[in-house]
Amino acid sequence: MTVTIAPFETSPQPEQQGADDAPRASTVPEPASGADVQAPAEGGAAEAPAPALDGAEWVEYDPAVDPDPAVDPAVAPDPAVAPDSAVDPDPVVVRDARDFGVYARTGGWAFALKVARSVRPGGQAAEGTAAVKVSAKAFAELAGCSPERVMRYYKAWDMAADDGLVPQFEVLVPGADVELPDADVWLAYYTSRNSASSVRGQAITAAAEAEGIRPTKALEVAENPTALRAAILADPGTAEAARGALLDRMREDPALQTEMARAIARTDDLKKAVASEAKAADRIGYVRQIVENGQIKTPAGQTIEAPAELRAEAERHLSLLDELDDSEEAGEWAGEAYDTVKGLVAKAVEDDPALRVQERRTRFYSSLQKATKVFEELTLDEVLEEEIFEDDMLQRLEALQEAISSCISTLRRATASS
């Protein structure tokens, strides 16, 4: 048998409970009065007309499918969860919830207000008021914390009052409430560390502000070098930031430069890496000098104007070097650029007869100067006094004398023939 019933009705719920969360109960409409009951059709039972329900639709109820029309199983409440409206909340819960809301909106300002309106150095009353405040030490004893912590909140309020963000201490009395700033502003005035007041802390604070970060973050890192070391060892990004900071610091700190140089010189792997990078930097500088100044330095040390072809090739190699990322090794690229440019320089010298002659003359004269200097530095007196000479020394000098004599003869013949 199919019975026509009214749609489920929803019992009214408190405002804080959403309509979707309210339990619903269905009711079977009562039969209409006698005047509304129609006579049964032949062979059938009387039918009751469906009453108007302001646009609500009727549903068919089948006992075989749903034996209890009074409960909608889809929205039946969980017996393990009591409805919020079942009982009035405990006043202590209400107070906690309200305190939490204040803190969520204002952050540390909520507690700074308690300090600001209750604490005054010495505990004396503010001028023009009868309100008696207590000292930071007395307030800390009542709160079960340190006076230093209380004073950090006191100083934060003081700085904010100077900026006009909160009222001055003089207008605050114990128990008074005022409108508080947003929580995001709190960290701009409060520091949780005593080191912030030291000379070192002030320098860190100034540097943090210059970098656009909160001083508390920088102070926390400075107070925990072990944590900083761990982050540098474990994270490449942190290590890169530390490297950049050290380089910036070394430009203005000669003592740190010396310490870093000494540490590198004492570490074989670092010493080799520095030497390799220095060589690459010198080669890049050689190519860059040609591009920027338009001049080349020959192997013999002469400085001349760079040919157009050579300068164009140097510019091409330099552009490739400048496009390298910081993470890419420049040594191989620098070596290729240097060798290419050096080869073009040697070719430019050989292609110019006058330049080639001058280059060879300069090279010979340079070698002669070096040989002369070395021979002049020989100290024969010490050799004779200490009797440290040997036969092969004399043989080498005799061979050198013959070479010099031959060289002199050759040059004389060349001079005479010219």
Side-chain angles (χ1 to χ4, degrees), residues 286 290 296-299 310 341-350:
Y286 178 80
I290 295 175
I296 60 175
K297 193 171 185 179
T298 66
L310 193 155
V341 172
K342 286 286 287 185
L344 291 175
V345 170
K347 182 176 182 299
V349 171
E350 291 296 323

Side-chain angles (χ1 to χ4, degrees), residues 360-373:
R360 292 176 179 176
R361 182 184 294 115
T362 302
R363 186 184 300 114
F364 181 83
Y365 190 72
S366 176
S367 299
L368 181 59
Q369 282 185 314
K370 292 178 182 178
T372 302
K373 184 177 180 181

Side-chain angles (χ1 to χ4, degrees), residues 12 25 63 65 72 90 117 144 146 152 164 170 178 180 187 194 196 235 273 292 307 312 315 320 330 345 357 412:
V65 178
D72 183 356
D90 190 299
R117 69 191 183 188
S146 66
R152 287 198 289 270
E170 289 74 13
V178 297
L180 298 174
L187 291 177
N194 293 326
D235 178 41
E292 294 178 352
E315 288 179 351
L320 294 174
V345 170
V357 171
R412 283 177 176 174

Side-chain angles (χ1 to χ4, degrees), residues 1 10 35 104 113 122 147 167 218 228 321 344 411:
M1 178 182 67
T10 304
L113 173 61
L228 175 61
L321 289 169
L344 291 175
L411 288 177

Side-chain angles (χ1 to χ4, degrees), residues 166-411:
V166 295
Q168 295 287 343
F169 294 106
E170 289 74 13
V171 301
L172 297 174
V173 296
D177 286 326
V178 297
E179 185 175 353
L180 298 174
D182 293 337
D184 294 341
V185 189
W186 171 247
L187 291 177
Y189 293 92
Y190 175 77
T191 175
S192 60
R193 288 168 171 78
N194 293 326
S195 60
S197 59
S198 64
V199 175
R200 174 173 175 266
Q202 292 173 357
I204 294 173
T205 298
E209 292 173 348
E211 294 289 337
I213 62 173
R214 295 199 305 267
T216 51
K217 291 292 185 181
L219 290 167
E220 181 180 357
V221 172
E223 290 181 2
N224 198 341
T226 304
L228 175 61
R229 172 182 168 82
I232 292 174
L233 291 175
D235 178 41
T238 304
E240 176 62 22
R243 181 195 66 81
L246 280 174
L247 289 177
D248 293 341
R249 174 68 182 269
M250 281 192 291
R251 293 187 180 98
E252 302 177 358
D253 191 341
L256 182 59
Q257 292 179 11
T258 303
E259 289 295 330
M260 291 296 294
R262 185 179 296 117
I264 291 172
R266 293 174 178 175
T267 308
D268 290 340
D269 291 342
L270 292 179
K271 185 166 58 176
K272 293 178 181 177
V274 170
S276 176
E277 289 298 321
K279 182 178 180 180
D282 288 342
R283 290 181 168 184
I284 294 173
Y286 178 80
V287 177
R288 190 180 302 278
Q289 184 268 341
I290 295 175
V291 174
E292 294 178 352
N293 299 332
Q295 295 179 329
I296 60 175
K297 193 171 185 179
T298 66
Q302 298 184 86
T303 301
I304 61 174
E305 293 295 323
E309 177 188 0
L310 193 155
R311 189 170 183 178
E313 187 67 13
E315 288 179 351
R316 186 180 72 83
H317 281 280
L318 185 61
S319 64
L320 294 174
L321 289 169
D322 289 340
E323 290 176 0
L324 294 177
D325 296 334
D326 292 339
S327 59
E328 294 185 83
E329 293 289 341
E332 181 179 353
W333 293 88
E336 179 181 347
Y338 179 79
D339 292 340
T340 301
V341 172
K342 286 286 287 185
L344 291 175
V345 170
K347 182 176 182 299
V349 171
E350 291 296 323
D351 291 344
D352 187 335
L355 180 61
R356 181 175 67 251
V357 171
Q358 181 63 29
E359 179 75 1
R360 292 176 179 176
R361 182 184 294 115
T362 302
R363 186 184 300 114
F364 181 83
Y365 190 72
S366 176
S367 299
L368 181 59
Q369 282 185 314
K370 292 178 182 178
T372 302
K373 184 177 180 181
V374 171
F375 188 79
E376 289 175 347
E377 290 177 351
L378 291 177
T379 54
L380 297 178
D381 293 340
E382 294 181 359
V383 173
L384 296 175
E385 289 177 359
E386 301 294 337
E387 296 184 358
I388 62 174
F389 65 89
E390 297 179 358
D391 293 340
D392 65 329
M393 292 182 182
L394 183 59
Q395 294 173 1
R396 287 177 178 270
L397 286 173
E398 290 175 346
L400 178 60
Q401 183 181 22
E402 293 178 1
I404 293 174
S405 299
S406 176
C407 181
I408 292 174
S409 301
T410 302
L411 288 177

